[in-house]
Amino acid sequence: MSTNPFDDRRPSRSRPSRPRLRTTDNDAEPAIWAARHVEWPIPTALSLSNYQKLQRASKQAGSQMGIDETAQETAGTEEEKAEASYFSGFMSRVLNPTNADEDEKEEEPISSPSGSRPLRSPRPRCVATANSWMVAALECQVTGGPPLRLVSRWNVRRMGGVDQWMALPPPVSGGDGRVLHVFVDPTGCHTLISAKNGEAYYHHSSLKVIQKLAGFGRNADGGWSKDMTGVTASSQAHRKSSSVNVQSGMSVGSYVTAVAWDRERGTEGSTKKILLGTNTGEIYEYALVSPNTNEDQEDTYAKPILLHQLNSDASVTGLAFERLRTGLLVLACTSGRNKRTRFYTFYSAHSSSFRMVMADEAHASLVELPGSLDYADLRICNDQICLRTATGIYYGTIDRAQSGPAFAGGSMIMESGILPYGEGKGSIPVSLALTPHHIITLSENNEVRFLNRVAQKVIQKEKVDWALPSSSSNLDESHLAMAELMMDVRRPDQVWLRRARSLVHISSSQEDRDVWKYTLFKCLEMPVGRGRSNTDAGVMTEEEKAQEALFGQAKSLCTHPSQKAVLTAVRAEYHLSQGRAELGAKYLAQCPPVLKPFADTAVRLALPMLNIDDPESYGGSAMAREALKSNTPLITFLTDKMRVSKNSNDKMTCTMIGAWLTELYLHDRDASAASKGALMQFLTSNVHNMDAKTIIKILSSHDVSALECAGFANISGDIETAVNAALRIESDTNDSVVDALRILNDAPFERAEPLYYKHATTLLARAPVLAGKSFLSRYTHGLSPNRLLPSIMFYERLRQDRATHLQAAKSLLSPRGRSGTGDSKNTESFDTGRNMFGSGVEVQVLSGVAGMGSFVDSGEVSAQYLEGVIKLGCRSSAIYSFLISLYVKLENEDPLFKFLSAHVPAASMASDASKKAGLAFGDESLAGPLDMSYALRTILATGRHFRSAIKLYMGFGMRQQAVELALKVDPSLARELAQDSVELEERKRLWLMIAKNAASEGMNSAEVDVVSKVVSVLKDCGPDVLSIEDVLPFLPDFAQIDQIKDEICEALTSYSSKIEGFLKEMNESDQACDSLRQEISRLRTHRMEMKSDARCAYANRAVLSAGEPFYVFPSGYVVLESALKREVLPYLNERQRRRVAEIEREFKVSSKQSRQRDPKFDSLQAELDGLIAAECPLTGSIMVDSIGRGFSDDLADASFMHKPSNMGDLNQNTATV
């Protein structure tokens, strides 16, 4: 951290006193802008030691750059020498405390080592501020050489000493080295310093040295660069290739007077591309990059590139660019003494290149402003611009929305104009500043004026008193410099006022306090066309749209709810006075009740409609009185109020306002169809915020159809009221029933379910097809078919009654019926010409059972619904039974038979218990929901549909009864049923029945061919079921043998073949018995050899010395009986394990002697051997089954088996198995 070389603790007698602001206006309201003095830590003189340090640093920097120091001693213009003489004389005596009391003739030269050096205050435009950093360029004049140029950086937020002091290198010989401009980028990190001789210097906040930029002014050796001639880059922008060189480097005699920073993309490491303006009207493209940055340096320029030459030789005093949504905009202004002030705009759509922007002449514009000015300040804040001219302040707004005439060759600045200065001496300000809402000017007589941009008038004046010291020894430099206003780009609402070393901070915490008010006044003063015709009353003109936009802008500027309330009230009254009553009512609804009470406003809007002349209601405006004669303003007001209540969930207020709105809509609904649609739209959008019953009462009190009431009730969720209202409608087309069904279908099932049961009869009678579909669609939601069944049954009974009445009516209309004397008043009229729902017939009932207005007869609806619910999984026995009853009544048996085929089980599934129980099933799972007993009784009672009865008999497993019934109806069906039997005895019995029936039918009909019928039965059943001797009893007593000769021969042949087969089977059995006897004899003498030291495969014990029985297997393994039992028992089934336990108990109870005498124990031992030693446990199926078992942790299992190595040793004992 570097020390401050100017930290002089001695009190300075030459410091200026603090300025004082005096308010010229005596307003009661506090001023918007305030000011405070800020101590700027810049001393008036440098001590000799600090001066020498800085001078050495300057010379060292110059030597590093190669600048000739000897040439510097004689360099400088006459103006610089005069200024040096002035500072070396007068200021040395005043500001040097060591020489203050000496005589003027005997004063010590300024270069004396014992004296301090006066520090000149910064020149105008040599101080810049950005991001709370203030950078100033100062000079310390010395005798006999160029002044020592210094740069200071100070953070105004810290309010301490100067953070950095740096010395500029000495200027190159051959020009005026005075610093004229200092520019700081928005980040406050990059500083560009411009000297009059064309040189430019760069400083970054992270460095302690200042760099001289190449391409600006002379080189270090005093010469000029060779490539400083060429054309502008904009002239070559549209050319793909060109042999003409673009100028690189600043022109001779030019120096930087304006800089356009990249406020969006600039960073602390790089400024990105920037624009430089010069005193000769040139614009250059350049970029500043910190040496310590790690960013991409693609925008680095070795020298500035000449971008464009303005058509003016005046200095560029203002330069800026803005990135718009579709392109790039460049702003520039030029001015000078005895030269016209000009304002330029350059724009190129869809291009971000400065060269293309400058080359696009179609979108470039030039505004030549009257008068001339030495330096025209161009200020930009947000999208607002202002420019100080000789006659006034040129202002405007950047057209970011592309709404202006830019694409037609106009300027990109809209709402532009010149705000004239006040009259009198010193009316032209010397400096200018722009804030978001105000323009601040500084006059020559130190008066600060604050102009509101919207009102375009001065709202505050402040007088700055720069107090002079009382004695000549404490001379202030403030009278030697012109005051100026400075803006901080990052803090546009804060402005700095500087004069010499004095700083005043001007700021406001409520700058936008009165902006809304001025904007509102501007809206009211806008000229808008009046007296529009009624045809375009609802259409706003362009002027009115602009006025509405300005009203909206004024509202956005309000910072307090009370301001917004006042603005809304004024806005509403203004629109009412202009005849825009609907728009005025809309804003009246937005006013708080304190300003516009609800009751007073509503009555005010309603009085003209009631032909009550109250001037206060329309404010004396004839247009307002005419516009308030309709209900539209009041409806608009109430609708907006209701919207507020809806957002706050105030249902009571919504109901009251909604009731009033309903009455208003009903009053206007007869005027036009649009009003009727508006009523339905209002009811639909606000249905959940109003009490449905209240609204329905209002609708019912007017001439409103029940269908409209039903629609509102349905939307409101009052399903019962909606359905009742719909069903009360008498209509020839039954649209009301359709609406009722639509309401039920769309409603939540929990609320619609009871209404289905309640109105099922009516729905079926008037729209059976749609009702059936609705019932079926709701079954999956939980609609119970059992609860709908009474209504369906009643509908079917009505169908039967109506059929009877219809038949009676036809008989009355016949000639024979007319001859009677019956009374026709109680008859029923009918209309067969209507075919509305499917193939049903509508009958108009004058007097009947139900007393309904209309009835639609559909014979398929009930059956289709019941079939549908059964397919969806209904298991109700009542549904099945009623469906059977409907099928039985049909002439066509196919639906019944198809239904039974799907739901009656096959004969093979019937259990023996069901056969024995007659009509009752033994297995309930086979019975299902179909009551077959009821179905069979119902079918048999009709005396038809026998195929279905046979199907039911087969479902019961009663094949014999089915065959008996089939023999009466269809003998061929009986033969099929008998053939399907799987039991031989049953088949034989059934075919005997068929044969007997065939024989009896032949004899009863006196047919001669009885024998042939019986023989055909024999052929159908096959020789395995019946033979000729089985049917001989059914043949006639005098039948000829020739007719059955073939059958007798076949029977004898069959007997003969059977005898031969039996003999063959006997021979094969004898041979098998002989083989078994031989095998048994061989096994009795079978022997197996083993070693004498053989060990158990599991216990690893010698089997001969173990003292218990053992088993030797053909595989070679020897296992003790106890080990074998322990290994084999887990793999036996439960019955085998119990048998082994029983045999062991028998052995334990009996003694050894008894076991030897009783042969029964030999059989027990053989049975035990067969259970546990049927196979080798290590090579048989037990080993395969034990694969899934885990390994044992017992250490004894380590020697779990031994296999004999030599089975053929002669010194072995033998064991017989």
Side-chain angles (χ1 to χ4, degrees):
M1 181 175 180
S2 61
T3 59
N4 188 351
F6 307 105
D7 189 9
D8 192 356
R9 298 299 180 183
R10 294 175 299 171
S12 177
R13 291 172 293 176
S14 59
R15 290 189 180 274
S17 61
R18 294 187 178 184
R20 295 188 297 273
L21 294 180
R22 296 182 301 179
T23 305
T24 57
D25 297 336
N26 296 325
D27 298 333
E29 194 172 13
I32 296 178
W33 294 89
R36 64 184 179 90
H37 174 76
V38 178
E39 289 289 345
W40 196 5
I42 295 181
T44 58
L46 283 178
S47 63
L48 181 60
S49 60
N50 291 334
Y51 169 77
Q52 291 174 350
K53 291 179 183 179
L54 293 173
Q55 191 175 36
R56 286 195 299 269
S58 176
K59 291 182 179 180
Q60 183 179 0
S63 63
Q64 291 178 356
M65 298 178 186
I67 300 175
D68 187 8
E69 298 182 9
T70 59
Q72 301 298 328
E73 296 177 358
T74 59
T77 62
E78 295 297 331
E79 185 179 356
E80 286 180 328
K81 293 178 180 179
E83 289 184 359
S85 176
Y86 175 81
F87 273 98
S88 62
F90 178 76
M91 292 299 296
S92 175
R93 293 192 304 271
V94 175
L95 301 179
N96 194 341
T98 58
N99 302 328
D101 299 329
E102 295 181 3
D103 189 79
E104 198 174 292
K105 297 180 181 179
E106 300 176 358
E107 69 172 349
E108 192 173 287
I110 196 168
S111 60
S112 172
S114 60
S116 60
R117 299 295 183 265
L119 191 62
R120 180 177 181 176
S121 61
R123 291 187 177 89
R125 292 178 290 280
C126 287
V127 180
T129 178
N131 200 18
S132 301
W133 284 96
M134 188 170 291
V135 182
L138 306 93
E139 292 180 354
C140 185
Q141 188 68 40
V142 295
T143 305
L148 176 63
R149 301 176 298 178
L150 303 175
V151 176
S152 70
R153 281 178 55 86
W154 177 52
N155 193 313
V156 298
R157 291 183 180 179
R158 298 173 185 171
M159 292 300 177
V162 175
D163 292 84
Q164 287 180 313
W165 283 92
M166 292 151 291
L168 269 70
V172 179
S173 61
D176 188 355
R178 288 180 299 166
V179 175
L180 299 183
H181 296 276
V182 174
F183 307 97
V184 182
D185 80 308
T187 64
C189 298
H190 306 275
T191 303
L192 180 66
I193 303 168
S194 173
K196 191 173 182 181
N197 61 356
E199 298 180 11
Y201 305 92
Y202 169 67
H203 174 257
H204 191 267
S205 59
S206 61
L207 302 177
K208 297 180 181 180
V209 295
I210 297 178
Q211 304 175 1
K212 182 181 182 301
L213 298 176
F216 294 85
R218 297 176 181 269
N219 297 329
D221 57 358
W224 297 92
S225 300
K226 297 180 180 180
D227 53 353
M228 295 183 63
T229 59
V231 298
T232 61
S234 60
S235 62
Q236 307 296 318
H238 296 290
R239 299 182 181 181
K240 296 183 179 180
S241 61
S242 176
S243 58
V244 182
N245 295 327
V246 177
Q247 179 177 332
S248 175
M250 197 80 72
S251 301
V252 178
S254 300
Y255 59 90
V256 179
T257 57
V259 178
W261 303 102
D262 193 339
R263 293 182 292 177
E264 297 180 6
R265 301 180 181 178
T267 62
E268 295 181 1
S270 173
T271 61
K272 306 303 178 182
K273 292 181 180 180
I274 61 176
L275 298 180
L276 306 177
T278 66
N279 61 323
T280 58
E282 297 173 333
I283 297 179
Y284 290 83
E285 185 177 1
Y286 196 57
L288 297 174
V289 182
S290 171
N292 300 331
T293 185
N294 295 325
E295 298 181 9
D296 187 10
Q297 300 183 5
E298 61 179 0
D299 296 333
T300 303
Y301 293 85
K303 295 180 180 180
I305 304 299
L306 179 59
L307 185 64
H308 188 71
Q309 173 66 54
L310 300 176
N311 54 354
S312 174
D313 57 350
S315 300
V316 179
T317 57
L319 191 61
F321 65 87
E322 293 286 337
R323 288 187 174 87
L324 306 183
R325 179 172 53 88
T326 58
L328 187 64
L329 174 66
V330 177
L331 307 176
C333 69
T334 59
S335 64
R337 184 173 299 178
N338 299 325
K339 297 179 181 180
R340 301 297 296 268
T341 302
R342 293 178 177 179
F343 179 69
Y344 301 84
T345 59
F346 303 91
Y347 175 76
S348 179
H350 307 288
S351 177
S352 59
S353 171
F354 288 121
R355 301 186 181 188
M356 298 301 296
V357 173
M358 292 298 183
D360 192 351
E361 299 179 357
H363 298 95
S365 66
L366 167 63
V367 178
E368 188 166 339
L369 302 171
S372 67
L373 203 64
D374 291 345
Y375 194 88
D377 306 85
L378 175 63
R379 305 295 187 185
I380 299 178
C381 181
N382 299 334
D383 290 338
Q384 308 296 326
I385 67 166
C386 68
L387 178 65
R388 185 170 64 96
T389 68
T391 58
I393 300 175
Y394 177 76
Y395 62 90
T397 304
I398 297 176
D399 187 10
R400 288 187 178 271
Q402 310 294 324
S403 60
F407 293 98
S411 174
M412 289 295 296
I413 306 300
M414 63 179 184
E415 300 177 1
S416 59
I418 295 180
L419 183 63
Y421 303 128
E423 298 179 358
K425 183 180 180 181
S427 60
I428 300 178
V430 296
S431 187
L432 188 71
L434 180 63
T435 65
H437 303 289
H438 294 83
I439 299 175
I440 305 176
T441 61
L442 176 66
S443 62
E444 294 180 356
N445 55 0
N446 298 328
E447 184 181 59
V448 181
R449 296 186 178 186
F450 301 90
L451 293 85
N452 186 275
R453 288 193 299 102
V454 178
Q456 296 186 355
K457 66 177 183 179
V458 178
I459 62 169
Q460 185 177 347
K461 294 181 181 180
E462 301 289 347
K463 185 69 174 180
V464 183
D465 291 338
W466 304 97
L468 297 177
S470 56
S471 63
S472 60
S473 60
N474 295 328
L475 182 63
D476 189 6
E477 289 181 339
S478 60
H479 69 285
L480 302 177
M482 187 70 68
E484 63 177 340
L485 293 170
M486 299 180 297
M487 295 173 53
D488 191 336
V489 179
R490 291 292 177 88
R491 301 291 299 274
D493 58 335
Q494 298 187 4
V495 179
W496 293 92
L497 173 59
R498 183 192 74 87
R499 184 179 184 186
R501 291 180 176 82
S502 299
L503 281 179
V504 176
H505 183 220
I506 302 174
S507 63
S508 174
S509 60
Q510 49 180 357
E511 182 189 358
D512 56 350
R513 185 189 68 186
D514 298 332
V515 179
W516 70 275
K517 190 187 305 181
Y518 296 125
T519 307
L520 179 60
F521 292 155
K522 185 177 180 180
C523 292
L524 300 178
E525 294 172 358
M526 286 184 64
V528 180
R530 299 171 181 261
R532 296 180 300 167
S533 61
N534 294 332
T535 57
D536 59 350
V539 180
M540 298 181 67
T541 63
E542 294 298 328
E543 296 176 349
E544 292 172 347
K545 290 180 181 179
Q547 189 181 44
E548 274 295 289
L550 199 57
F551 271 121
Q553 182 181 354
K555 187 175 182 179
S556 64
L557 294 171
C558 296
T559 58
H560 194 271
S562 60
Q563 299 174 356
K564 295 182 180 180
V566 172
L567 186 143
T568 305
V570 174
R571 190 176 186 178
E573 295 294 341
Y574 176 80
H575 285 304
L576 281 177
S577 65
Q578 298 298 314
R580 297 187 286 269
E582 185 176 354
L583 198 58
K586 171 185 175 183
Y587 293 116
L588 283 174
Q590 299 176 9
C591 296
V594 177
L595 291 179
K596 300 293 181 181
F598 174 79
D600 297 345
T601 305
V603 171
R604 174 187 176 185
L605 296 176
L607 288 179
M609 180 186 61
L610 302 175
N611 295 325
I612 299 177
D613 190 6
D614 184 8
E616 295 183 359
S617 62
Y618 51 85
S621 174
M623 290 188 293
R625 179 181 180 184
E626 187 67 24
L628 290 174
K629 288 185 178 180
S630 66
N631 286 332
T632 304
L634 182 57
I635 291 176
T636 302
F637 172 75
L638 295 176
T639 302
D640 288 356
K641 282 294 185 182
M642 188 174 180
R643 186 181 300 109
V644 176
S645 302
K646 186 194 302 185
N647 295 335
S648 60
N649 295 326
D650 189 356
K651 191 170 184 179
M652 181 180 296
T653 304
C654 287
T655 301
M656 291 188 296
I657 299 177
W660 193 353
L661 283 170
T662 304
E663 292 283 357
L664 293 174
Y665 280 119
L666 289 172
H667 182 269
D668 291 345
R669 73 187 180 96
D670 295 332
S672 62
S675 300
K676 184 177 181 181
L679 171 62
M680 297 308 300
Q681 182 180 1
F682 164 74
L683 294 176
T684 302
S685 59
N686 299 280
V687 63
H688 298 294
N689 303 102
M690 301 183 297
D691 183 58
K693 294 182 179 179
T694 303
I695 302 301
I696 290 177
K697 287 181 181 179
I698 296 175
L699 294 175
S700 303
S701 63
H702 291 73
D703 186 16
V704 179
S705 64
L707 183 59
E708 292 178 290
C709 297
F712 173 75
N714 176 33
I715 300 173
S716 65
D718 191 357
I719 308 301
E720 184 175 4
T721 303
V723 174
N724 291 334
L727 293 179
R728 282 200 301 266
I729 301 172
E730 295 293 338
S731 174
D732 292 339
T733 59
N734 274 340
D735 291 339
S736 58
V737 182
V738 177
D739 293 334
L741 286 172
R742 185 182 298 110
I743 293 170
L744 292 174
N745 291 336
D746 297 339
F749 176 73
E750 294 77 8
R751 304 174 66 177
E753 183 181 11
L755 299 178
Y756 274 111
Y757 304 139
K758 180 179 179 181
H759 301 287
T761 303
T762 305
L763 297 174
L764 282 171
R766 299 172 66 178
V769 176
L770 296 178
K773 292 180 180 179
S774 178
F775 296 162
L776 188 60
S777 64
R778 286 293 194 170
Y779 172 77
T780 55
H781 298 165
L783 188 64
S784 174
N786 290 338
R787 299 184 65 179
L788 291 174
L789 189 57
S791 299
I792 298 175
M793 297 174 67
F794 182 73
Y795 173 72
E796 291 297 327
R797 187 168 63 84
L798 282 179
R799 288 184 60 245
Q800 295 179 2
D801 295 342
R802 298 308 168 93
T804 303
H805 289 301
L806 183 61
Q807 188 65 28
K810 288 183 178 180
S811 63
L812 290 176
L813 292 176
S814 64
R816 184 178 300 178
R818 291 195 189 99
S819 61
T821 59
D823 189 3
S824 62
K825 292 183 180 180
N826 294 328
T827 60
E828 299 171 343
S829 64
F830 61 92
D831 184 5
T832 59
R834 296 173 181 168
N835 187 4
M836 298 174 53
F837 298 94
S839 59
V841 179
E842 181 178 348
V843 180
Q844 187 71 25
V845 181
L846 298 180
S847 62
V849 178
M852 298 181 182
S854 61
F855 180 81
V856 178
D857 188 357
S858 179
E860 300 177 355
V861 171
S862 301
Q864 290 176 354
Y865 168 70
L866 297 177
E867 288 175 354
V869 296
I870 290 173
K871 289 180 180 179
L872 293 175
C874 179
R875 306 289 292 174
S876 174
S877 179
I879 299 298
Y880 280 75
S881 299
F882 186 69
L883 182 58
I884 292 294
S885 66
L886 294 178
Y887 284 145
V888 167
K889 296 177 183 179
L890 299 177
E891 294 293 337
N892 187 8
E893 188 186 2
D894 292 340
L896 176 60
F897 186 78
K898 182 179 178 181
F899 176 77
L900 293 177
S901 299
H903 296 88
V904 174
S908 59
M909 298 176 62
S911 62
D912 296 337
S914 66
K915 296 179 182 179
K916 297 177 181 179
L919 299 180
F921 265 84
D923 190 357
E924 294 182 359
S925 63
L926 297 177
L930 178 60
D931 188 355
M932 293 194 297
S933 299
Y934 168 79
L936 184 59
R937 291 195 303 270
T938 304
I939 295 172
L940 293 177
T942 59
R944 55 182 181 177
H945 304 330
F946 292 110
R947 281 199 310 146
S948 301
I950 294 171
K951 186 66 179 178
L952 288 171
Y953 276 129
M954 294 299 296
F956 281 118
M958 303 168 65
R959 190 179 295 271
Q960 182 175 349
Q961 288 81 355
V963 172
E964 289 177 355
L965 183 58
L967 289 174
K968 299 177 182 179
V969 180
D970 188 1
S972 61
L973 179 60
R975 296 189 182 192
E976 293 177 2
L977 296 175
Q979 190 68 27
D980 293 338
S981 178
V982 295
E983 297 180 4
L984 183 59
E985 292 296 330
E986 185 185 38
R987 289 179 65 187
K988 186 174 182 179
R989 185 171 61 254
L990 295 177
W991 280 108
L992 286 174
M993 289 175 55
I994 296 172
K996 183 178 180 180
N997 180 72
S1000 63
E1001 285 182 354
M1003 288 184 292
N1004 291 336
S1005 60
E1007 293 183 3
V1008 181
D1009 199 12
V1010 176
V1011 178
S1012 61
K1013 290 187 175 181
V1014 176
V1015 172
S1016 66
V1017 173
L1018 289 177
K1019 292 180 179 180
D1020 291 341
C1021 68
D1024 297 335
V1025 180
L1026 295 179
S1027 61
I1028 188 62
E1029 66 271 20
D1030 295 328
V1031 298
L1032 285 177
F1034 306 139
L1035 295 178
D1037 296 337
F1038 302 99
Q1040 295 180 2
I1041 195 66
D1042 294 337
Q1043 296 178 353
I1044 56 175
K1045 178 177 61 176
D1046 296 336
E1047 284 72 15
I1048 294 174
C1049 294
E1050 290 178 0
L1052 293 176
T1053 303
S1054 176
Y1055 293 152
S1056 181
S1057 61
K1058 288 180 180 179
I1059 292 171
E1060 292 178 358
F1062 291 152
L1063 290 175
K1064 185 178 180 180
E1065 290 178 0
M1066 291 173 64
N1067 294 331
E1068 292 176 352
S1069 300
D1070 292 340
Q1071 294 176 2
C1073 291
D1074 293 339
S1075 300
L1076 291 175
R1077 292 188 190 98
Q1078 294 175 2
E1079 182 67 20
I1080 292 172
S1081 300
R1082 188 185 65 81
L1083 291 175
R1084 288 177 180 175
T1085 60
H1086 179 71
R1087 295 178 181 274
M1088 182 175 290
E1089 296 178 352
M1090 72 173 187
K1091 292 182 179 181
S1092 59
D1093 59 348
R1095 291 180 175 272
C1096 177
Y1098 290 101
N1100 198 20
R1101 295 165 52 193
V1103 296
L1104 296 180
S1105 61
E1108 63 174 304
F1110 60 90
Y1111 294 86
V1112 181
F1113 294 96
S1115 61
Y1117 290 103
V1118 182
V1119 184
L1120 293 173
E1121 182 182 21
S1122 59
L1124 184 62
K1125 288 180 182 179
R1126 184 172 62 253
E1127 184 66 24
V1128 173
L1129 282 177
Y1131 297 97
L1132 299 178
N1133 57 36
E1134 186 64 27
R1135 186 178 62 81
Q1136 292 173 338
R1137 286 196 293 270
R1138 286 199 303 267
R1139 184 55 183 164
V1140 171
E1142 292 174 359
I1143 294 173
E1144 289 180 345
R1145 283 196 298 270
E1146 289 288 339
F1147 285 148
K1148 289 180 181 179
V1149 172
S1150 63
S1151 61
K1152 185 176 183 181
Q1153 292 78 9
S1154 61
R1155 288 201 300 268
Q1156 292 177 354
R1157 292 193 300 268
D1158 193 351
K1160 181 185 71 170
F1161 290 100
D1162 294 337
S1163 62
L1164 290 176
Q1165 183 63 45
E1167 185 179 359
L1168 179 61
D1169 294 343
L1171 290 173
I1172 66 175
E1175 60 179 353
C1176 178
L1178 294 173
T1179 60
S1181 60
I1182 293 178
M1183 179 56 66
V1184 176
D1185 296 338
S1186 65
I1187 292 177
R1189 296 179 59 188
F1191 292 103
S1192 175
D1193 295 334
D1194 192 358
L1195 296 177
D1197 293 340
S1199 58
F1200 93 94
M1201 71 177 178
H1202 284 276
K1203 183 177 180 180
S1205 61
N1206 185 6
M1207 297 294 295
D1209 193 351
L1210 296 178
N1211 296 326
Q1212 296 171 350
N1213 294 330
T1214 60
T1216 301
V1217 181

